Amino acid sequence: MSLPFIDLKAQYRLLKSDIDARIQRVLDSGAFILGPEVAELEAELARWAGVRHAIGVANGTDALQIALMIERIGPGDAVFLPSFTYAATAEAAVLVGATPVFVDVDAGTFNVDPDDLDARIAAVAKAGKLRPKALIAVDLFGQTADYRRLAPVMERHGLHLVSDAAQSFGGKLDGKAVGSLAPITTTSFYPSKPLGCYGDGGAILTDDPAKAELVRSIRFHGTSSSDRYDMARIGMNSRLDTIQAAVLLAKLKVFARELETRERVARIYDSRLGNLVAVPVRAPGVTSSWAQYTVQVDRRDQVAARLKSAGIPTAIYYQRPLHLQSAYRHYGQGAGSLPVSEQVADRVLSLPIHGYLDDAAAQRVCDAVAQAVGS
Ligand SMILES: *Cc1c(COP(=O)(O)O)cnc(C)c1O
């Protein structure tokens, strides 16, 4: 029998009565847009992250775009971001009219390499065509970016920092929760993320009341906070649906326990796979939310095929770094320009991990990997 890669059905079986009742309440109330569940969820998310403001939006991509809009980032601005990430990170920069500049990553953590970032900012500044304006740091696979080493680089070059925590909500760095590690953090509730809803959803987290007010305005077509009939700016239609907020309120109740299970599975993988394949490097002080457990192997396709025939599904995040994708090639960072991103893309393989994977299943994955990497 094949294991599921993520098990949304096990979670629904556990939460069914609560989720169904909460959805029914929204149906009965008719408050589908910005109903009371949205504000209730926002308060819970802010408390979870230890920040003053959380604002629900339609998805994690809009969240990134809005984060750039409130800093007035646009044409002529360079937005630095890792090439080894999901396309949404770069898309947000392009959608506001800015130019994405791809940065290489660390081969162990898969997150932005602060030294490479520093060098690329200096090169853009020296070329004089674009203004270095922002970094979107991605917490890839649930592990926080190296914010301690990124902070001085941001400061030296006067850049805005946006944290793309689409995969890392629930994680921590030095005891501080994701959401509080940057002036503005965005996340996603896409169903397969660690905290996922039953459709699209996202949020923006910040301690800054002025930023929070701008986000609330922009998600609602730019409506003025003091006069609802005045459009103060150009905004978007990017509200979080009440039904999705209701689903998330139910799921938040078990989120801490799910994160513990993910951590337990990751420890089993670490200890049993550490000398068979390259396991993810845990940076000191980081608690990952384990959106993915991604190893690096030689002959990746052969290993994946062997695992598949043993009933173990895998996924490849990401097959091709963004600078080599058709839509992004014209930015001119060709093959060879981001060597680590290119190298890891050929070797990564993500193993099953979710909040309902028991120890026996984790051991079964390890047995299959041991078989698959043997010759
Ligand atoms: C999923 C994801 C996004 C986008 O989130 P959506 O809610 O799907 O729009 C952005 N960045 C990263 C790194 C992601 O994994």
Side-chain angles (χ1 to χ4, degrees), residues 25 45 49 53 70 140 190 217 237 262 302 306 311 313:
R25 244 175 278 149
L45 294 173
H53 305 277
I70 69 168
L140 207 70
Y190 184 83
S217 168
N237 174 2
R262 288 175 188 266
Q302 184 187 324
R306 286 178 175 181

Side-chain angles (χ1 to χ4, degrees), residues 59-62 64 85-86 88-89 138 140 164 166-167 188-190 193 200-201 318:
N59 55 69
T61 311
D62 281 7
L64 282 167
T85 176
Y86 185 58
T89 316
V138 179
L140 207 70
D164 178 352
Q167 302 182 10
S188 164
F189 304 124
Y190 184 83
K193 309 286 179 174
D200 281 302
Y318 296 95

